[in-house]
Amino acid sequence: MALDQSFVGRTYPPTAPYEVGREKIREFAEAVGDTNPAYSDPDAAKELGHCDVIAPPTFAFTITFKAAEQVVQDPQLGLDYSRVVHGDQKFAYARPVRAGDRLSVTSTIESIKSLAGNDILDIRGEVHDESGELVVTAWTKLVARAAEEA
């Protein structure tokens, strides 16, 4: 069943703040195989003009995808998450994510399309710090595969 187009533009409440820790950044960088010292060494980050270690560019996915749960678990939307695959991910940074940031995400449904029986859902997650400054915008594309015919 196609998703309801009236959900396009719906914005969900901001998430509770997520505190970015040095160890989380280091673990993420290690997991993705990125050895940039600015991700683990405060002195290396300071040499680049940052006040503390910064996170790899895809780190924001860890909090924006969790925030998108508000959308996918919305019972009124009717998305069958058991059929969902991650289709695409994009980021636009205003500044790097830094250790010590307390970040909240506001998710908005940007588009809903149906293609060959598949529902394609585009979610924009705007990540702000405690002062309300925009840090990064993330776009997540989810594809709910069509149900198999019996």
Side-chain angles (χ1 to χ4, degrees), residues 39-142:
Y39 303 150
S40 59
D41 181 355
D43 292 330
K46 287 176 184 171
E47 285 179 23
L48 295 171
H50 304 289
C51 59
D52 205 333
V53 297
I54 59 172
T58 55
F59 181 86
F61 180 78
T62 61
I63 58 173
T64 58
F65 193 72
K66 183 158 181 56
E69 286 180 2
Q70 292 179 85
V71 177
V72 299
Q73 293 178 0
D74 184 338
Q76 294 177 330
L77 178 61
L79 182 68
D80 180 358
Y81 194 68
S82 71
R83 307 200 65 75
V84 170
V85 295
H86 186 236
D88 193 21
Q89 189 70 50
K90 296 177 187 173
F91 302 97
Y93 275 86
R95 69 161 175 83
V97 171
R98 303 182 282 239
D101 278 340
R102 290 178 47 82
L103 304 174
S104 295
V105 183
T106 302
S107 297
T108 301
I109 298 175
E110 282 206 328
S111 71
I112 297 173
K113 300 174 187 140
S114 282
L115 183 61
N118 300 308
D119 287 320
I120 302 167
L121 181 66
D122 289 306
I123 303 167
R124 182 182 74 244
E126 293 183 344
V127 181
H128 292 87
D129 66 14
E130 249 178 336
S131 69
E133 177 187 358
L134 178 66
V135 176
V136 59
T137 302
W139 291 269
T140 303
K141 184 179 297 290
L142 300 176

Side-chain angles (χ1 to χ4, degrees), residues 15-55:
T15 60
Y18 172 88
E19 188 162 344
V20 179
R22 282 184 183 169
E23 185 64 12
K24 290 291 185 186
I25 291 172
R26 186 196 62 74
E27 289 171 347
F28 186 88
E30 187 177 280
V32 298
D34 196 329
T35 60
N36 184 329
Y39 303 150
S40 59
D41 181 355
D43 292 330
K46 287 176 184 171
E47 285 179 23
L48 295 171
H50 304 289
C51 59
D52 205 333
V53 297
I54 59 172

